[in-house]
Amino acid sequence: MCPISEHADNCLLCKAKRPGWFCNLSPQALAEYDAMSSHVMLPMGSILFTEGQPARSVSVVCEGRVKLTRSSRDGKTLLVKIAKPGDVLGLSAALAKTPYEVTAQAIEHAQIKTFQQSDFLHFIQRHVEGSLHAAESISKEYRSVLSDACRLALSSSIAGRVAHLLLELAVEGGTDMNAQPEIHLPFTHEDLASMLGSSRESVTRVLNNFRRTGVISIKGTRLKILRKDALEILL
Amino acid sequence: MCPISEHADNCLLCKAKRPGWFCNLSPQALAEYDAMSSHVMLPMGSILFTEGQPARSVSVVCEGRVKLTRSSRDGKTLLVKIAKPGDVLGLSAALAKTPYEVTAQAIEHAQIKTFQQSDFLHFIQRHVEGSLHAAESISKEYRSVLSDACRLALSSSIAGRVAHLLLELAVEGGTDMNAQPEIHLPFTHEDLASMLGSSRESVTRVLNNFRRTGVISIKGTRLKILRKDALEILL
DNA sequence: ATGCAATTGTGATGTGCGTCACAGTTGCAT
DNA sequence: ATGCAACTGTGACGCACATCACAATTGCAT
C-alpha cells in the first residue's frame, strides 16, 4: 500500500521512492491516472525519444537511469541530466507544446510509466493538483539547467567547473555537507566532460590534480570531498 | 476592453500585448486576479529582487525592460534574460518554493503588476487555468535556458556562440527567417559578452569580423543578417 | 558647442586547454 | 586465462581567447 494515499501497492511511482509525482492525488484522480498510463520496459541503450521529434508522450521513470542529452551539428554532446526513478520525461515538451528538446536514452535496463501526451494534458486540465505538480517539476528542472548555464558561463577554468559540479552533486546527493560528503559518481570522465563542455583529458587531469593535492579521494565509483574549502575557492 | 475576455480596459497585461498571461480567465477568476494584484513603478536602475533572497512576490512586467542576471563570487555576471512586457518574474521561485535564483533590475523605467507569493499560489491552486499558464510559462523559460546552456557548452568558438545567439534572437524577433532578418539589438557588447560567457573585446572583434565579411550589417541598434548560411556553418 | 561618461575599436602578450597520439588499466565475456 | 573493448593517464603542441592598455567614437547633458 502506498504510504501517501490509499491506492494499491502496484504503483510503480511509489516503489520508485519518489512518491511526490502524482501519488498524493485524490483516490478518484489516482484511479483515472493509473487507468491512462501504460507500462514500458526499456532495454539498456534503447532510445525513448530524440530531440526535435514531435512530442507524443510523457513518462515517469520507475527503474533504471535515462540519459538526457542534446547534440550540436558537429557531434558534440551536452549531457543535460541523468534521470533517475521518479523523474519525468517529456514534460516541458508537453506543456510548451513543442517537440522534444533533448534525446532520452536508457543507460541501464529501465522501466517507465508512459502517458499519451493528450491524455496527460487532459488529465492536468481537470486536476489542479496535477498541473501544480507539473509546474513544480519543471521549475526544478529550470533551476537545475540555470545552474548548469552559470557553471558553463561563469567558471572560466575547467578546475572551477569541476569543483562546482562536485559540490552540486554533493548537495544533491544529500550527504552531510559539514563533514566530508561522499558522492556516488556513476559517470565516466567522458560524461563529466560532456556536462562541463570540456574534454575528457582535461577532466582526468583536474580530477587527478585534486586527488594528488588531497582535495578529494576516489574509490571506484565513490568520491569523497576531503577539503570542501579548497573546491569553493575555485568557483 | 480586452479583446480576449470581457474585463475592463485597465488591464495592463492586455496593454502589454501579451494577453496570454492570465487574461483569458473566466470573468470571475479574472476579477479575483485583479483584486489581489498591486501596481508598482520601478525607476530605471532599481532592483526588484536579488538572487538568494527569500521569494515573496510574483510579478508581471507591464512596461519597460527588466534585466535578469546571476553572478559568481568573483564578480562575473551571466545575463540570463531581458524580461519584456508580458514576462513573469519570480515564478519559478514561487512554484519550487525556493529563494530567487536571479537578480532582477529595471534597465528602463518600468511598470509591473505584483502579487504576494502566497496570494498567487493560493490563486493557482483554485484555478486550473492559472496553474496551466504557470506551467507553460516556466516550460518556455526552461527551454530558453537549456538553449543557453547548449550554446555555452557546445559552440567551442566565440564566433560560433555569437552566430548562435544572433540566429536565436532573429527567430525570437519573429522576422521572416527566409529573407534577411533584422534584429533589434538593445545590448552593449558587454551585455552580449555576459550572455555568452566571453569578454567584451572578443565580442567586438567577432561582430566586426562578421560585418567586414558581409555576413551582417549594423545600423545603430538594428542588426541585419545578410548571410544566414554563413552564420549557420559556424554552429 | 563643449565636456564627460559610456561604449567601441585594436594591438600586444601570455596561457589554458583542446587536440592528437599513444601507453597503461580495468573489467567483462568466453 | 585470455582477449578485447572501454576507460583512464600523460606528454607535446598550437591556437583561440582572456587580459591589459590605450585610443577613438558615440551620445547625452548643459
Side-chain angles (χ1 to χ4, degrees):
Chain A
M1 205 68 135
C2 170
I4 296 209
S5 64
E6 294 87 327
H7 61 287
D9 61 0
N10 64 354
C11 171
L12 282 155
L13 293 170
C14 296
K15 283 206 291 188
K17 313 229 183 58
R18 186 94 75 90
W21 242 79
F22 291 122
C23 264
N24 45 356
L25 298 171
S26 64
Q28 164 218 4
L30 201 50
E32 194 183 321
Y33 173 81
D34 282 337
M36 72 183 188
S37 74
S38 65
H39 196 229
V40 177
M41 308 290 243
L42 295 176
M44 170 173 167
S46 64
I47 289 179
L48 181 57
F49 52 75
T50 305
E51 72 179 280
Q53 256 182 12
R56 293 191 314 275
S57 68
V58 174
S59 314
V60 181
V61 179
C62 301
E63 273 184 52
R65 291 178 305 146
V66 179
K67 194 193 233 180
L68 302 181
T69 59
R70 183 144 158 180
S71 298
S72 67
R73 194 186 276 70
D74 63 333
K76 284 191 169 190
T77 293
L78 174 65
L79 201 167
V80 177
K81 158 162 189 161
I82 301 277
K84 289 172 284 296
D87 287 324
V88 193
L89 309 174
L91 183 56
S92 92
L95 292 169
K97 297 178 185 68
T98 47
Y100 291 119
E101 73 283 4
V102 291
T103 297
Q105 179 178 32
I107 53 173
E108 298 169 351
H109 177 80
Q111 293 180 45
I112 59 172
K113 197 165 184 161
T114 76
F115 310 86
Q116 287 289 104
Q117 186 184 93
S118 50
D119 290 347
F120 179 84
L121 289 174
H122 187 230
F123 178 80
I124 63 173
Q125 272 155 28
R126 307 202 297 113
H127 298 281
V128 217
E129 317 116 280
S131 57
L132 287 171
H133 271 140
E136 195 185 322
S137 290
I138 359 128
S139 287
K140 288 183 182 150
E141 298 298 324
Y142 166 78
R143 309 187 125 247
S144 153
V145 176
L146 181 61
S147 283
D148 292 349
C150 289
R151 189 175 40 243
L152 290 164
L154 301 177
S155 337
S156 36
S157 77
I158 299 298
R161 292 193 212 169
V162 174
H164 195 151
L165 180 60
L166 291 181
L167 290 171
E168 217 161 78
L169 289 171
V171 177
E172 190 179 303
T175 54
D176 181 14
M177 284 304 283
N178 296 322
Q180 295 181 338
E182 199 164 293
I183 316 173
H184 180 223
L185 251 195
F187 306 117
T188 67
H189 295 178
E190 189 82 47
D191 285 336
L192 294 171
S194 173
M195 298 189 214
L196 298 168
S198 171
S199 69
R200 204 259 312 157
E201 294 91 327
S202 293
V203 171
T204 299
R205 279 187 248 263
V206 167
L207 244 26
N208 284 333
N209 182 343
F210 283 175
R211 201 147 42 95
R212 275 197 287 269
T213 53
V215 174
I216 61 172
S217 71
I218 305 179
K219 272 209 199 80
T221 160
R222 311 292 305 172
L223 182 150
K224 192 186 285 184
I225 297 179
L226 304 174
R227 299 197 41 225
K228 188 158 73 84
D229 57 318
L231 293 181
E232 275 160 354
I233 58 177
L234 285 173
L235 301 190
Chain B
M1 205 69 131
C2 171
I4 296 206
S5 65
E6 294 86 328
H7 61 289
D9 61 0
N10 65 355
C11 171
L12 281 155
L13 293 171
C14 296
K15 285 206 289 187
K17 313 231 185 58
R18 185 95 75 90
W21 242 77
F22 292 123
C23 263
N24 45 356
L25 298 172
S26 64
Q28 165 219 3
L30 201 51
E32 194 183 323
Y33 173 81
D34 282 337
M36 72 182 187
S37 74
S38 65
H39 196 228
V40 177
M41 309 291 242
L42 294 177
M44 169 173 168
S46 64
I47 289 179
L48 180 57
F49 53 76
T50 304
E51 73 179 279
Q53 255 182 13
R56 292 191 314 275
S57 69
V58 174
S59 312
V60 181
V61 179
C62 300
E63 273 183 53
R65 291 178 305 147
V66 179
K67 193 193 235 181
L68 302 181
T69 58
R70 183 145 158 180
S71 299
S72 66
R73 195 187 276 67
D74 63 334
K76 284 193 169 189
T77 294
L78 174 65
L79 201 167
V80 177
K81 159 163 189 160
I82 301 276
K84 288 173 284 297
D87 288 324
V88 193
L89 310 174
L91 183 56
S92 90
L95 292 169
K97 296 177 185 69
T98 47
Y100 292 119
E101 73 283 5
V102 292
T103 297
Q105 179 179 31
I107 55 173
E108 297 168 352
H109 177 81
Q111 293 179 45
I112 59 173
K113 197 165 184 159
T114 76
F115 311 87
Q116 287 289 106
Q117 186 183 96
S118 50
D119 290 348
F120 179 84
L121 289 173
H122 188 229
F123 177 79
I124 62 173
Q125 273 155 28
R126 307 201 297 113
H127 299 281
V128 216
E129 317 114 279
S131 58
L132 287 171
H133 271 141
E136 196 185 321
S137 290
I138 0 129
S139 288
K140 288 182 180 150
E141 298 298 324
Y142 166 77
R143 308 187 124 246
S144 153
V145 176
L146 182 59
S147 283
D148 293 350
C150 288
R151 190 177 37 247
L152 290 163
L154 301 178
S155 337
S156 36
S157 78
I158 299 298
R161 292 192 213 171
V162 174
H164 195 150
L165 181 59
L166 291 181
L167 291 171
E168 216 160 79
L169 289 172
V171 177
E172 191 180 303
T175 55
D176 181 14
M177 282 306 283
N178 298 322
Q180 295 181 336
E182 199 164 292
I183 316 173
H184 181 223
L185 250 195
F187 306 117
T188 68
H189 295 178
E190 189 84 46
D191 285 337
L192 294 172
S194 174
M195 298 188 213
L196 297 168
S198 171
S199 70
R200 204 258 315 155
E201 295 92 325
S202 293
V203 171
T204 299
R205 280 187 248 263
V206 167
L207 244 27
N208 284 333
N209 183 344
F210 284 174
R211 201 148 41 95
R212 276 197 286 270
T213 54
V215 175
I216 62 172
S217 72
I218 306 180
K219 273 208 199 80
T221 160
R222 312 291 307 171
L223 181 150
K224 191 187 284 183
I225 297 179
L226 304 174
R227 300 196 42 225
K228 188 159 72 82
D229 57 318
L231 293 182
E232 275 161 354
I233 57 176
L234 284 173
L235 302 189

